Amino acid sequence: MALKFHQQIISDLLEDSNGGLVILSSGLSLAKLIASLLILHSPSQGTLLLLLSPASQSLKSRILHQLSSLSSPPPTEITSDLPANHRYSLYSSGNPFFITPRILIVDLLTQRIPVSSLAGIFILNAHSLSETSTEAFIVRIVKTLNASAYVRAFSDRPQAMVSGFAKTERTMRALFLRRLHLWPRFQLDVSQELEREPPEVVDIRVSMSSYMVGIQKAIIEVMDACLKEMRKTNKVDVDDLTVESGLFKSFDEIVRRQLDPIWHTLGKRTKQLVSDLKTLRKLLDYLVRYDAVSFLKFLDTLRVAESYRSVWLFAESSYKIFDFAKKRVYRLIKASEAKSKEHVKNTSGKKRKLKGDNASVEAVGGATAKNVDTGVVIEEVLEEAPKWKVLREILLETQEEREKQTLSEEENSDNNGIVLVACKDERSCMQLEDCITNNPQKVMREEWEMYLLSKIEIRNVQTPQKKKQKTPKGFGILDGVVPVTTIQSSEGSSVCRQEHEALMAAASSIRKLGKTAASGNNNPEAQVDKASSTKGKAKKESSSLRRPIRSCSKKKTNSEPEIVTGSEIEEKVSEASTSGPREDSDAPPNGAMKLPPVHFYALESDQPILDVLKPSVIIVYHPDMTFVREIEVYKAENPLKKLKVYFLFYDESTEVQKFEASIRRENGAFESLIRQKSSMMIPVDQDGLCMGSNSSTDYPASSTQNSLTRKAGGRKEIEKETQVIVDMREFMSSLPNVLHQKGMKIIPVTLEVGDYILSPSICVERKSIQDLFQSFTSGRLFHQVEMMSRYYRIPVLLIEFSQDKSFSFQSASDISDDVTPYNIISKLSLLVLHFPRLRILWSRSLHATAEIFTTLKSNQDEPDESRAIRVGVPSEEGIIENDIRAENYNTSAVEFLRRLPGVSDANYRSIMEKCKSLSELASLPVEELAEVMGGHKVAKSLREFLDAKYPTLL
């Protein structure tokens, strides 16, 4: 059943034959809207193309799911594997198709598509478009050849549509659209429909532990201190530097967008502050998402990885983060204080040993670890996440309500009793499943043991380094007498050393316990090594990381009807999950309370889980604004279904602040869009009728009006059509689009040598900054320049910078006087020295590159397409055409000559002038070789090599 506001959006789009831009609130089921439009499309209207991007793959899967649920044939995808004639027939069929922009633009430029048979184009990611994007290139060509084709663009990210200056208006101009459709959550039609039959909502605020509150407060203090340091640089807009904005990923983009043009002028401290703010945001997120041991492990990784480079580690409140994180897991006490506790534990352990072997193993494993040398004891705390207990209580309460409904026979047939728990990621889903099926303390103990065993593994990795230092390799005091600095000795204080030694002692005891439990018992249940079972469990979890939906209903020992229901529904989720019964060695204890069928869903998987499972109870473990809107839409489409939603928030936490701020940011973005819409200036010719290669949107000609008046009274010269041959792979960039805007004809072909052919003698290899560094590292650039130098008279390396970033590799202070192998300037210098004919062009932006190309082509002939395709490709006889060196020399023989002993870059040309072949070279005496090669020594080495006898086995 389509919602009324969806029907209103569809009617608004169908009214305008030119199309429009639709901006929805996040979570208002954009996939269902597009699926409805596809159902209304008929083949008589023409072919409909849906442009895909890597970011819209999840939206594509949702669209296909909606179409399959409505028994409508889904559109197929046109790929590059299909032959050209087959693609042409598909373009003429009148059906809807998915296609990538790169394939479509190449087919448009090569005229492999009947543009007159196109009904329209759907653009699924309007928020990521710009004037130079490939989608804008496609729309400009389609509108030029078929003015009646419509363009419908969609976006469910309003925040991205207000970033930058007049982003929405510029996007509409690029797509030749005149109508903007805004549908926020607070729109009257939307709010009335979603609030007519709302679900039963239970908002549960869980109090954080005192240590969690202390960690959160310390992180915010450190983040505020870093923001104050950023303000002192006077490089960033102060209004954006708030703690609330720092909670979102877009904060990094805002800061980098402001700092990128001057990035090379910033000091190391400012650059590190930008990285530190990203790290601190992760810490706030991981604090409320993961357990105490995982959080401590992440902190240990940060301490080792960032160390002295980090700024936030030296802030005043940073020590509280590490201190409180440790206290959530363990604490240090004196051995004398722990003796009485250990005696009590051992006594209770003997009592529990009578009950079973598993209990005895747990009792010994839970004993306090003591370091005899230092007298320090590790006492385990293993603080559980406060939400774990609340989640189990909710599940028990749900099961009780289901049993009451069953007894009173009031259970609705639509109520399948499925409970859906929504978490942020897959790791949280798996851990919560273990907490429900097993004892939470047991889950924490497994995490703790894995943490300790990782400490031993790190120590074992460092042990071989100590053994290598036994043989003295230095002089004076460096003759091996000075001990090697280890982690223990570099901790800086005796307390840290004692703590490290105590942790090693605890880890060793666990490892010994695992070995004795595995080898000493004959009971198969007691032979389970906890460490090995933990590792085995980790392997199972890692093998199922890609499963977005998990069910723990199959793990229950008591077979109930709802287990069958849960398995039947899970089998329907063919796209979202391939899950089967997970075999765990851990079984729930006898007498465990019954729980309803629970399914776990990772929000990051972005699957249509609500329409598949149709749950009766939803527990939002990690609140997310998009998922909340999906729940509202799901309830509005099923008004008769009873739905109960639990929201779990940490009270007075950044989790609440981030959720509320995300709603405020979206509302603020829509308010800004509404104001822009009231004052938006759209040109009259936006219907595309006036568009062409020389339209008003093209950039003005390079010659000014004054210069024209100097030539025959301003008479306009006859402009010849300039053309550029472009490699197919270059359509991933926006440069072909900009060249087309300049009035150049783009010829897409597959080139073996170069990226752009400007003339028969000019070949250009374009490199972005990132690609330049990667090409130097892999050695690919050397081969590409060598091939260009072989086949073209003027090889050109174009280094293209981004317009919004600094026009520099590095600051002037970082340029050294000497040639270093890791310096990019040194690498470029060596490249130019090796290929003297190579020309390097430095371009500030795409438009600057187009101006450079126009200047280079001013006095050049147009390139030959057939010749450019054959360059570098051997024929059937193995002859490579147009090889400059092959015209005068035998290329293979030259390469062989340069590899002979005594032959170098300084003398191989003189040898080629003296000798016409290798056989003639082999017959020359040593005296003539010395005269030709420039030395008696090198001539003798070559003569000895040529006269050497072939070794035999006899």
Side-chain angles (χ1 to χ4, degrees), residues 217-232:
K217 184 179 178 181
I219 294 175
I220 292 176
E221 289 176 358
V222 175
M223 184 179 288
D224 190 40
C226 291
L227 291 174
K228 288 179 180 178
E229 290 292 326
M230 287 283 292
R231 294 189 190 100
K232 291 179 182 178

Side-chain angles (χ1 to χ4, degrees), residues 20-77:
L21 173 61
V22 179
I23 302 178
L24 277 171
S25 280
S26 178
L28 292 188
S29 191
L30 177 59
K32 293 180 181 179
L33 173 64
I34 298 175
S36 302
L37 288 170
L38 291 178
I39 293 174
L40 294 176
H41 175 76
S42 63
S44 60
Q45 299 173 354
T47 304
L48 177 60
L49 299 178
L50 292 84
L51 298 187
L52 280 177
S53 67
S56 58
Q57 291 295 329
S58 60
L59 181 59
K60 173 192 171 183
S61 62
R62 284 177 174 262
I63 293 172
L64 294 177
H65 171 75
Q66 294 297 329
L67 291 174
S68 62
S69 63
L70 297 173
S71 300
S72 177
T76 58
E77 183 174 356

Side-chain angles (χ1 to χ4, degrees), residues 796-813:
V796 178
L797 174 63
L798 171 67
I799 301 176
E800 189 175 83
F801 290 77
S802 180
Q803 187 172 4
D804 55 349
K805 294 186 179 180
S806 61
F807 189 43
S808 174
F809 281 128
Q810 54 194 4
S811 60
S813 59

